[in-house]
Amino acid sequence: MNDIRLNRWFVETGDEEEACRLLFNAYYETVFNTVKRRRWNHPDTVVDPDEITSDTFIKAVKKRKEIQEPEKLLEWLKRVADNLMIDAIRRSRQKRHLEVIPLNTLSNSESETLIAGTDAEAKEVLEAQLFRLLQDQHREIVDLLLDGLKPKKIAEVITSEADKEQSSGSVQKTWERVRKWLFPIARNLEALINCLPEANDRKIMERYFDRQSFSEITEALGISRSTIEETVERVIKDWKKAAKDNPTDPVSAMLKKER
């Protein structure tokens, strides 16, 4: 329950210690449950809900004089908790047994990197997730690029003799367009899913990137196939825009959009 009188007192009082104590007592359970629900979406990620919740209230105390709308304090606390959760998921991912594999054959102008697992099975899973982001016409090109083929060789594989020279340049241009959004999304996939505001969107995208078919997702969630297809298309479109707007941190771009 959002206690507006308490919120205003919290922002205005000079007794910081008492303000923290009362706010913590009033909203701890709500904030903790918010974090815990988010945590359920990432059972393989090492994140401590108690720590995230405590850090949320510590930040609230530090920022309390900057809060402009105390009547919306509870929603502000939830957003802070969400952001801290996303940061924790990122840190957890970075601590996993991952290696960065250089894909030097993918561009003539610069080396590219893609986070992949240390074993063949993990690498296969991550590559499958990449293909889930791509339209059908791009999947074959990226598949061959990941196998180490250069654009000219790919053109020989996928085109007729008459079109080879022209297609070599087309392959390169296609890759230049795709890589601008593909890698930023791939590197931040878990956090991007986690920051989706709608629970059904998160559930659909988690299953989609777990390589479940639309039929399997429909059966598991009881959501129509058309709704699932629309959700996947819409979310990936939003991610692409976020990755183009902020390739170093598409998650922040998504959070800014939601606000």
Side-chain angles (χ1 to χ4, degrees):
M1 181 176 178
N2 194 14
D3 187 335
I4 295 177
R5 188 168 69 172
L6 170 62
N7 297 351
R8 288 174 179 162
W9 181 83
F10 171 76
V11 172
E12 296 169 0
T13 184
D15 190 343
E16 186 173 285
E17 184 176 344
E18 182 67 2
C20 181
R21 185 184 70 81
L22 291 177
L23 192 77
F24 189 86
N25 289 341
Y27 296 137
Y28 173 83
E29 186 174 354
T30 301
V31 175
F32 178 81
N33 287 336
T34 297
V35 175
K36 195 172 181 181
R37 282 194 296 270
R38 289 282 197 174
R39 174 69 182 81
W40 289 340
N41 292 327
H42 301 276
D44 61 334
T45 305
V46 181
V47 174
D48 185 348
D50 283 308
E51 182 179 347
I52 298 295
T53 303
S54 296
D55 288 346
T56 298
F57 285 99
I58 290 171
K59 187 167 185 177
V61 171
K62 290 180 179 178
K63 298 285 186 180
R64 67 191 183 94
K65 295 297 184 181
E66 301 174 21
I67 295 173
Q68 301 297 318
E69 299 179 289
E71 65 274 10
K72 297 180 180 179
L73 179 58
L74 181 56
E75 291 305 312
W76 184 86
L77 288 170
K78 290 179 180 179
R79 287 199 301 273
V80 170
D82 272 345
N83 290 342
L84 291 173
M85 182 73 176
I86 290 168
D87 289 342
I89 289 170
R90 284 177 178 160
R91 291 193 299 271
S92 180
R93 284 185 61 200
Q94 291 169 357
K95 290 178 181 178
R96 292 179 186 175
H97 299 296
L98 300 174
E99 61 182 359
V100 179
I101 299 178
L103 303 177
N104 296 319
T105 61
L106 300 184
S107 171
N108 292 330
S109 60
E110 61 181 332
S111 297
E112 301 289 353
T113 59
L114 175 65
I115 293 178
T118 56
D119 55 45
E121 183 178 355
K123 184 173 182 291
E124 180 184 349
V125 169
L126 288 166
E127 288 183 357
Q129 291 176 339
L130 283 180
F131 297 146
R132 288 284 195 170
L133 290 165
L134 297 166
Q135 296 175 326
D136 290 341
Q137 65 267 33
H138 295 152
R139 288 178 181 174
E140 184 177 13
I141 291 175
V142 174
D143 191 19
L144 294 170
L145 285 165
L146 290 173
D147 282 341
L149 272 67
K150 293 186 177 181
K152 185 175 181 179
K153 185 65 177 177
I154 293 173
E156 294 176 1
V157 172
I158 66 176
T159 63
S160 64
E161 188 68 34
D163 296 332
K164 283 179 186 177
E165 196 62 36
Q166 181 179 354
S167 294
S168 177
S170 177
V171 167
Q172 184 63 45
K173 288 179 181 178
T174 297
W175 173 244
E176 293 293 331
R177 289 196 303 269
V178 169
R179 70 186 176 86
K180 288 180 181 179
W181 56 263
L182 183 62
F183 284 173
I185 294 176
R187 294 188 185 107
N188 295 277
L189 186 57
E190 288 186 21
L192 283 166
I193 292 174
N194 189 68
C195 78
L196 292 171
E198 299 296 329
N200 276 346
D201 287 359
R202 294 193 297 273
K203 292 175 183 177
I204 289 170
M205 299 310 291
E206 284 168 354
R207 291 178 179 275
Y208 180 74
F209 284 103
D210 195 33
R211 295 185 286 182
Q212 294 185 22
S213 67
F214 289 137
S215 297
E216 289 173 327
I217 299 172
T218 294
E219 183 177 354
L221 300 180
I223 300 173
S224 70
R225 179 177 177 129
S226 60
T227 298
I228 292 168
E229 291 177 351
E230 184 277 330
T231 298
V232 170
E233 182 179 357
R234 169 175 50 80
V235 169
I236 292 178
K237 182 179 179 181
D238 288 345
W239 287 352
K240 284 182 182 180
K241 185 178 186 308
K244 291 174 182 177
D245 290 345
N246 190 346
T248 59
D249 191 4
V251 177
S252 292
M254 281 294 294
L255 291 172
K256 184 177 180 180
K257 171 182 177 295
E258 296 302 333
R259 291 170 188 169

